[in-house]
Amino acid sequence: DAVLFSNYFVYGMSVFTVNAAGQIAATDVNADGLVLSVADLVYLIRVVIGDATPFAKLAPVAVKYTQNSDGVLSIQNDVRIGGAFVVVAGNVTPRLIANNMEMQSNFDGANTRILVWSREGNSFTGDFLNANGTIVSIDMATFEGQPVALEVLPTEFTLNQNYPNPFNPKTRISFALPTSSDYTLTIYNVTGQKVTEFAGSHEAGTVEVDVDASSYSSGVYFYKLIANNGRFTETKKMVLVK
């Protein structure tokens, strides 16, 4: 890092080739709010030789969000968000929902880039943007400026196809829970006999179950999910090939 930073002063911005914006932001080593300064370089050298302590990085805040079938993005935690950068595939027309926030957007030829922010320092939570399209990426920060670790929550109960399929001898079955729910995942052989069962309770999110079929015979199997107090039931087929 020190060599790269020192090269900047001699060769200029061309030295930042991996992620220029991120690399430049990371040069504020002495945490004075200024980037690309000699003071940062000097402090970095002090950290390297061991007579100065690096400034602690802000820990990411866990935030859960959803996108419903109408394209509405919503924060599910009681966390005040200070800004969001959303990239949506294709040319879409976003609509700002959050109050007291600003929105800017631009189609770059492949994706629509959307910035939700406030030059007055406002924040939002809950529904904040209608971006009806496939989300490519989302980056957020809290009102306090902390980075956010995002987790997308499902909006409906779904049983996914196991992967890999066909498999030998291990595979993974996943399913989506839009709300906290008890669940039972049962595997049957082709004659309808129960082979094994996984049961538990999980908060809203995606659940993954690893299946080791080393003791199973080759053939077709079925797996059935029951969740939401029995109101959701779905069955899929998988094939074990040894």
Side-chain angles (χ1 to χ4, degrees), residues 163-200:
Y163 182 83
N165 187 48
F167 66 98
N168 177 32
K170 297 181 179 180
T171 190
R172 175 170 292 176
I173 300 171
S174 65
F175 50 90
L177 304 176
T179 60
S180 297
S181 175
D182 294 332
Y183 66 86
T184 302
L185 179 67
T186 308
I187 298 177
Y188 300 91
N189 62 22
V190 73
T191 64
Q193 295 176 311
K194 182 169 71 173
V195 176
T196 190
E197 183 176 277
F198 304 88

Side-chain angles (χ1 to χ4, degrees), residues 29-162:
V29 183
N30 64 359
D32 65 354
L34 302 175
V35 297
L36 301 174
S37 71
V38 173
D40 289 315
L41 176 61
V42 172
Y43 195 86
L44 177 58
I45 297 300
R46 290 186 60 202
V47 172
V48 171
I49 65 177
D51 70 346
T53 303
F55 285 91
K57 302 295 184 182
L58 293 174
V61 176
V63 172
K64 298 180 179 181
Y65 77 96
T66 60
Q67 183 186 27
N68 67 19
S69 58
D70 294 324
V72 175
L73 291 165
S74 180
I75 302 299
Q76 299 300 302
N77 309 64
D78 186 20
V79 177
R80 296 171 65 193
I81 301 298
F85 173 52
V86 183
V87 179
V88 182
N91 190 0
V92 303
T93 303
R95 179 172 62 86
L96 180 65
I97 299 175
N99 295 324
N100 302 315
M101 301 297 292
E102 305 169 47
M103 183 189 75
Q104 294 174 268
S105 66
N106 178 60
F107 176 59
D108 65 9
N111 302 312
T112 302
R113 303 164 65 88
I114 309 162
L115 177 65
V116 177
W117 67 303
S118 170
R119 69 190 75 204
E120 298 177 353
N122 297 321
S123 63
F124 66 87
T125 191
D127 296 348
F128 69 97
L129 181 70
N130 189 321
N132 200 357
T134 301
I135 301 296
V136 176
S137 65
I138 299 182
D139 184 21
M140 294 187 191
T142 69
F143 173 74
E144 293 81 9
Q146 288 181 272
V148 166
L150 288 167
E151 177 188 353
V152 59
L153 290 181
T155 57
E156 59 183 12
F157 289 91
T158 306
L159 176 62
N160 300 316
Q161 185 65 52
N162 66 299

